[in-house]
Amino acid sequence: MKKSDIKKLPLHFDEYINLAEDEELLTALQNSLIMEKLIDISLLEKNADYCYKPGKWSVKGVLQHIIDAERILAYRALRFARNDKTVLPGFDEALYGANSPLAERAINDLLEELKVVRIGTILLFKNFNEKILLRRGVCFNIEIDVLSLGFSIIGHQQHHFNVITKNYFNKRENNENNQ
């Protein structure tokens, strides 16, 4: 199924879903693995601990957030795919970020984990047929289907890669040029 098969864009998730290409979900998930290769690893390493303003995550923090969020979104997809009608809670991304041992992590380690998590997500979604992809559930008062969660995973990563490029690479480069 494609992004255009989503009947109603769920609030909050629509921002991410809209960033994904309108292609088959498994193709989009596979292509998002390729997207990781398009980001300049040397720039990631150079900016690994850089925060573009106080209270914002470092580049490593953003990567860890992408990983954490994908695991949570995939877990929600699994629950709804199995027709679990339990209302699922949200998660406190700031709490997760504050309790992640990023000082001990290297960029390559984070990118490898992101790749492995994405491969796991692909394998999970590979076994969902159309009926399962259209199953719905509720997480923090938002009704969403499994298909939308899949495209949210893709768009969420794209959103944060865009943030890294704009606010970490470009701002730091501009700040260094202005000094």
Side-chain angles (χ1 to χ4, degrees):
M1 294 186 74
K2 294 182 175 186
K3 180 176 80 170
S4 55
D5 293 316
I6 297 171
K7 305 289 185 237
K8 180 182 174 190
L9 287 177
L11 290 177
H12 179 68
F13 294 94
D14 59 342
E15 171 188 358
Y16 302 126
I17 294 168
N18 285 326
L19 290 173
E21 296 293 325
D22 189 24
E23 54 193 354
E24 292 293 325
L25 177 59
L26 288 176
T27 301
L29 285 165
Q30 285 286 355
N31 288 342
S32 67
L33 271 173
I34 296 165
M35 183 175 42
E36 292 173 21
K37 295 177 184 174
L38 300 178
I39 202 157
D40 189 331
I41 293 175
S42 64
L43 277 174
L44 285 175
E45 289 171 341
K46 179 182 175 184
N47 293 284
D49 296 309
Y50 174 68
C51 297
Y52 68 93
K53 69 181 187 181
K56 294 295 182 180
W57 289 322
S58 66
V59 170
K60 290 195 293 188
V62 173
L63 292 174
Q64 184 65 64
H65 168 68
I66 296 169
I67 294 164
D68 291 346
E70 180 158 342
R71 283 189 165 119
I72 290 166
L73 292 170
Y75 170 74
R76 291 171 178 168
L78 174 64
R79 298 271 307 254
F80 300 156
R82 300 296 188 251
N83 225 13
D84 185 340
K85 298 299 182 189
T86 306
V87 175
L88 301 179
F91 74 102
D92 184 343
E93 61 191 35
L95 177 69
Y96 279 52
N99 288 287
S100 181
L102 294 174
E104 302 164 17
R105 307 280 317 258
I107 289 293
N108 283 333
D109 178 47
L110 288 161
L111 290 174
E112 182 65 21
E113 183 178 356
L114 180 58
K115 179 181 176 182
V116 169
V117 169
R118 180 56 50 90
I119 291 169
T121 299
I122 291 167
L123 292 172
L124 175 69
F125 278 86
K126 189 176 184 178
N127 294 298
F128 295 164
N129 61 30
E130 186 173 324
K131 181 179 176 183
I132 291 171
L133 287 170
L134 294 175
R135 285 186 182 149
R136 303 180 72 73
V138 177
C139 50
F140 60 98
N141 300 322
I142 297 171
E143 187 174 20
I144 189 167
D145 57 51
V146 175
L147 181 64
S148 294
L149 286 166
F151 280 104
S152 294
I153 289 168
I154 296 162
H156 182 259
Q157 175 181 291
Q158 181 61 55
H159 165 77
H160 284 293
F161 279 5
N162 292 346
V163 167
I164 288 171
T165 301
K166 177 183 174 194
N167 293 326
Y168 293 82
F169 295 170
N170 295 342
K171 275 195 177 182
R172 185 168 195 184
E173 189 175 290
N174 290 339
N175 288 344
E176 288 174 355
N177 290 338
N178 291 331
Q179 294 179 356

